[in-house]
Amino acid sequence: MKRNGRHDDDAQLAAMGHKPELKRNFSALSMLGLAFAVLNSWTALSASLPVSLTSGGSASIVWGLVTAGICNLCIAASLAEFLSAYPTAGGQYHWVAVSWPRCVPILSWVTGWINVAGWIALVATNALLSSQLILGIISLLHTGYEAQRWHQFLIYIGLTLLSFAINASLNSLLPLVYKGAFVWSIGGFVLVCITVLACASPSYNSSYFVFRDFINKTGWPDGIAWLLGLLQGGLGVTAFDAVAHMIEEIPSASIEGPKIMVFCVGIGTCTGAIFLIVLLFVAGNISDVIESSAGPLLQIFYHATKSHVGAICLLMLPLVCLIFATLSVMTTSSRMIFAFARDGGLPASPFFAKVHPRLGLPLNALILTSAIVVLFGFIFLGSTSAFNAIISASVVALDLSYAMPIAVNCLQGRNTLPERKWRLPGWFGWTADLIALAYISLTTVLFLFPPSRPVTGTNMNYCIVAFAMIVTVSALQWIVDGRKNFKGPRVNTLSAEAENTNSEPKV
């Protein structure tokens, strides 16, 4: 039965014009582990507390996550339909092509470039958050220590190279690693919540503070400040398309993939909301948390436990989760680059579309991911605003890539997809699509705003500069090579039975 299932998966992939080259060695649980490690919601949300603490405070942290969680569930449910119909690692750029063939290849090209950029920026985001937590430990232990950007840069580079080494050398063990990551994340979430509540008892902050307290130190009007705080919630529940880009490595792809995509967002939103509420109850004096050189999360742990050792021990749990996240995001990013190169979307596409015969992974795509992440580090080294810009770029780019197939499907009357295992009822499908597009439209504009006013050269949001660079490189590549050679992914799917009669699938 298992063999037949894998045969059907390979036949469906072959019908979409691709030769099955990657081993389907991920189970549903290990893929859920990878997807949840990528979202890593409770850890990412707590590590990115500085984004919302001064941009709406508790009201933004809690209700911003609820808003982002509901909207991203709608996005995930909409994209799950595409994943069920077309389970290919190309994901969004492939789905755009099948939804509106007349506009291929340009729409597919743009979506692919945006998606690649978003995933690479997300690798950098996780490495930056991890390095920030490590610096916080040093600051807590040594009160006279003054962190320098180059200190964080070196840690960032070390984490990037570690993730590359594990991805390159332990590919066959990654399913086991991601099962462990899932267990570690859920177990760490439960352990930290129980510990800080027990240690802080009975000195809790009021429920008014947790659910209604508003802080605005951005210089923007209160409404805009609260909306800018959505960036934290958006970061904590985005990147669920990891399942799509890894889909060629899981059996029963068209059935299991959509369920995992939606479940990981639901689990992430619930665990993230509970964890943030717990943190706010035990946070103590919020001014100390905002101004702490150790970082908000570690300072909250210290307020709760009254112990440097206890706080650092607790911090190890989310820190390891973030390292798992960096590892899993790099895995997914390399698969996205591999898929796009396989369809001719990148410079030197044949080189980046190669699967290493012995390692069984797209090694060249993995090297490209790591090299660009290192370059992001040099940008961070030169600018104090690069941290927010890289976070904004990852969320905005991924959200835009989600919007493209959803928007095209809506313009086509939501009737372009073939029969599939995952299908939303008509009314719910339209509702989910429209909520998704409204949320992405709003946040795309807002997340390009500078985080505070007055705006200067040092605090402006350089996310727009990053996008300009992406657009420039993409446009030049289109003129030089893409318009001649990129035809988009194959969109005329064949039936599995017809494909099985061919001796070799088309490549």
Side-chain angles (χ1 to χ4, degrees), residues 27 36 49 53 61 70 82 148 154 179 256 258 299 312 315 361 366 369 377 409 467 481 493 499 506:
S27 66
F36 190 67
L49 276 172
L53 274 176
I61 290 170
I70 292 172
F82 288 91
Q148 303 295 323
L154 291 178
K179 285 181 183 177
E256 299 297 335
Q299 190 64 40
I312 292 171
L315 191 69
L361 57 88
L366 185 64
T369 297
N409 194 31
F467 263 97
D481 179 64
T493 59
E499 187 61 27
K506 294 180 181 179

Side-chain angles (χ1 to χ4, degrees), residues 409-430:
N409 194 31
C410 286
L411 291 173
Q412 297 291 301
R414 297 198 86 253
N415 56 10
T416 59
L417 293 178
E419 284 301 315
R420 52 204 178 274
K421 304 291 184 180
W422 177 280
R423 186 183 185 93
L424 299 178
W427 67 270
F428 184 74
W430 276 108

Side-chain angles (χ1 to χ4, degrees), residues 32 36 39 41 73 182 186 262-273:
L32 178 61
F36 190 67
L39 263 70
S41 299
L73 274 171
F182 182 71
I186 296 298
V262 175
F263 286 170
C264 69
V265 179
I267 295 171
T269 301
C270 292
T271 56

Side-chain angles (χ1 to χ4, degrees), residues 13 22-24 87-90 244 246-250 338 342:
L13 182 62
L22 301 172
K23 296 180 180 178
R24 296 186 183 273
T88 169
M246 298 294 296
I247 199 68
E248 294 177 25
E249 298 176 57
I250 179 176
F338 158 76
R342 184 174 59 184

Side-chain angles (χ1 to χ4, degrees), residues 48-326:
S48 58
L49 276 172
V51 175
S52 292
L53 274 176
T54 58
S55 187
S58 300
S60 179
I61 290 170
V62 175
W63 300 114
L65 173 60
V66 172
T67 303
I70 292 172
C71 293
N72 277 275
L73 274 171
C74 291
I75 300 171
S78 296
L79 293 183
E81 288 194 289
F82 288 91
L83 182 59
S84 183
Y86 302 103
T88 169
Q92 293 91 303
Y93 80 86
H94 190 110
W95 302 336
V96 167
V98 297
S99 297
W100 205 339
R102 286 183 304 169
C103 293
V104 176
I106 187 63
L107 276 181
S108 182
W109 176 275
V110 170
T111 305
W113 272 86
I114 290 174
N115 201 199
V116 167
W119 272 102
I120 294 175
L122 195 62
V123 180
T125 295
N126 279 279
L128 281 172
L129 290 174
S130 302
S131 60
Q132 191 176 56
L133 291 186
I134 293 172
L135 281 183
I137 294 173
I138 300 172
S139 296
L140 186 65
L141 292 175
H142 305 280
T143 54
Y145 171 72
E146 292 185 11
Q148 303 295 323
R149 279 204 304 276
W150 68 269
H151 299 166
Q152 187 171 356
F153 170 77
L154 291 178
I155 299 171
Y156 168 91
I157 296 299
L159 291 169
T160 301
L161 295 179
L162 174 65
S163 297
F164 168 78
I166 294 174
N167 267 288
S169 60
L170 299 177
N171 184 55
S172 61
L173 296 179
L174 288 181
L176 181 61
V177 170
Y178 293 133
K179 285 181 183 177
F182 182 71
V183 173
W184 179 278
S185 184
I186 296 298
F189 158 74
V190 173
L191 181 60
V192 173
C193 286
I194 293 174
T195 302
V196 295
L197 286 172
C199 291
S201 178
S203 302
Y204 300 134
N205 288 328
S206 67
S207 57
Y208 178 91
F209 168 80
V210 172
F211 295 105
R212 298 183 60 184
D213 189 61
F214 190 88
I215 300 172
N216 181 8
K217 296 187 177 182
T218 65
W220 291 104
D222 287 351
I224 294 179
W226 187 90
L227 289 171
L228 290 176
L230 280 175
L231 178 58
Q232 183 202 16
L235 175 65
V237 289
T238 196
F240 43 81
D241 59 313
V243 183
H245 305 310
M246 298 294 296
I247 199 68
E248 294 177 25
E249 298 176 57
I250 179 176
S252 304
S254 61
I255 300 173
E256 299 297 335
K259 291 192 289 187
I260 294 170
M261 181 178 281
V262 175
F263 286 170
C264 69
V265 179
I267 295 171
T269 301
C270 292
T271 56
I274 293 170
F275 190 66
L276 289 178
I277 291 171
V278 168
L279 286 184
L280 291 170
F281 269 116
V282 303
N285 189 322
I286 198 64
S287 297
D288 292 342
V289 172
I290 292 173
E291 297 167 5
S292 172
S293 61
L297 180 59
L298 189 55
Q299 190 64 40
I300 291 173
F301 286 165
Y302 177 66
H303 281 172
T305 62
K306 307 295 189 299
S307 165
H308 286 173
V309 174
I312 292 171
C313 287
L314 286 178
L315 191 69
M316 289 298 105
L317 294 166
L319 177 57
V320 172
C321 286
L322 276 177
I323 293 173
F324 275 130
T326 306

